[in-house]
Amino acid sequence: MQSLKIKLIAITIKEDDIGNQVPVEIATEVWAEETGVRQSEFYNAAVTGLKPEKTFIIWANEYSGQTKIEADGVKYKLIRAFNNPAKSEMMELVCERVTADG
């Protein structure tokens, strides 16, 4: 496992100067352990058209519903977040890379 800093990104809606509602990203930097995607997770996600690529493990109290993650300058979309079965104080975040069309 590799430790690295990642950004948990939440999307909020704010009004701009002329009253348009625009999405704004709010990033929180945290430490994470990067692991591979479990084989069962990969195949279960593939059935629904998802392509899990990375799993990040973070402290559960640092996660508050963010939907995007950035690691090493690459953005990922969160597919699934769940408590680590071995350590309930940890969360596993299963992610797929954000592509130009998604």
Side-chain angles (χ1 to χ4, degrees), residues 34-37 42 50-56 74-77 79 94-99:
E34 180 183 330
T35 65
V37 176
F42 180 83
L50 300 173
K51 297 176 183 136
E53 188 172 321
K54 303 255 183 193
T55 300
F56 299 102
V74 178
K75 285 200 178 176
Y76 298 90
K77 178 173 61 173
I79 296 174
V94 181
C95 308
E96 72 178 343
R97 185 185 295 253
V98 174
T99 59

Side-chain angles (χ1 to χ4, degrees), residues 7-41:
K7 293 179 185 175
L8 302 176
I9 302 170
I11 309 295
T12 62
I13 303 297
K14 302 261 181 170
E15 276 192 16
D16 66 10
D17 295 340
I18 58 172
N20 294 321
Q21 293 193 347
V22 293
V24 176
E25 292 185 348
I26 299 173
T28 303
E29 200 169 70
V30 299
W31 281 101
E33 295 285 331
E34 180 183 330
T35 65
V37 176
R38 289 186 189 95
Q39 192 174 29
S40 60
E41 184 86 41

